Amino acid sequence: QVQVVESGGGLVQAGGSLRLSCAASGRTFSTYNMGWFRQAPGKEREFVAAIIRSDAYTYYSDSVKGRFTISRDNAKNTVSLQMNSLKPEDTAVYYCAAQNGVERPPRLQSSYNYWGQGTQVTVSS
């Protein structure tokens, strides 16, 4: 099975930046679809960004488009989420997810097979 571990969360003031990292196990990481989701207290988990296999096609939610950038380093089995111009509304637990099966819609939680424990991002106003 694929193990997924996020890191890089923390406390930042509005307008600041954070870079989240996600490490995933597997010899065929370059074939994985990777996604970031987030969940704020009392709210459902929502899609943030995704990057598809070695083609590196990217997808973003409208709320983060232009502010967040997802990237991957297949040689290191890692995916990053660079978050700029952070807003208090971005406060949430951020989860990294991996899909190693058939191609599925990258914006849907159900498309992913494996999930990390999450990392807390708190943006103060």
Side-chain angles (χ1 to χ4, degrees):
Q1 294 192 352
V2 177
Q3 291 184 315
V4 181
V5 181
E6 310 96 333
S7 63
L11 175 64
V12 65
Q13 293 184 357
S17 299
L18 281 175
R19 186 176 181 87
L20 305 183
S21 294
C22 172
S25 65
R27 296 180 60 83
T28 56
F29 176 80
S30 63
T31 70
Y32 300 174
N33 294 332
M34 302 295 297
W36 286 97
F37 293 78
R38 67 187 183 186
Q39 186 169 26
K43 296 184 178 180
E44 295 183 354
R45 188 164 54 190
E46 65 177 353
F47 171 77
V48 176
I51 187 163
I52 306 303
R53 303 185 191 276
S54 58
D55 297 316
Y57 293 118
T58 57
Y59 302 80
Y60 297 94
S61 69
D62 290 339
S63 63
V64 308
K65 190 177 300 181
R67 298 189 297 123
F68 292 10
T69 302
I70 187 171
S71 61
R72 67 192 300 163
D73 186 339
N74 291 333
K76 297 181 178 180
N77 278 31
T78 58
V79 171
S80 296
L81 184 69
Q82 178 65 44
M83 305 185 295
N84 298 325
S85 301
L86 283 163
K87 305 174 181 179
E89 305 93 272
D90 296 317
T91 295
V93 175
Y94 283 70
Y95 297 91
C96 182
Q99 173 193 330
N100 67 347
V102 298
E103 196 73 33
R104 296 184 181 277
R107 297 175 183 269
L108 301 181
Q109 298 178 51
S110 60
S111 295
Y112 298 87
N113 306 104
Y114 306 99
W115 293 81
Q117 293 289 325
T119 185
Q120 177 71 48
V121 172
T122 302
V123 184
S124 62
S125 59

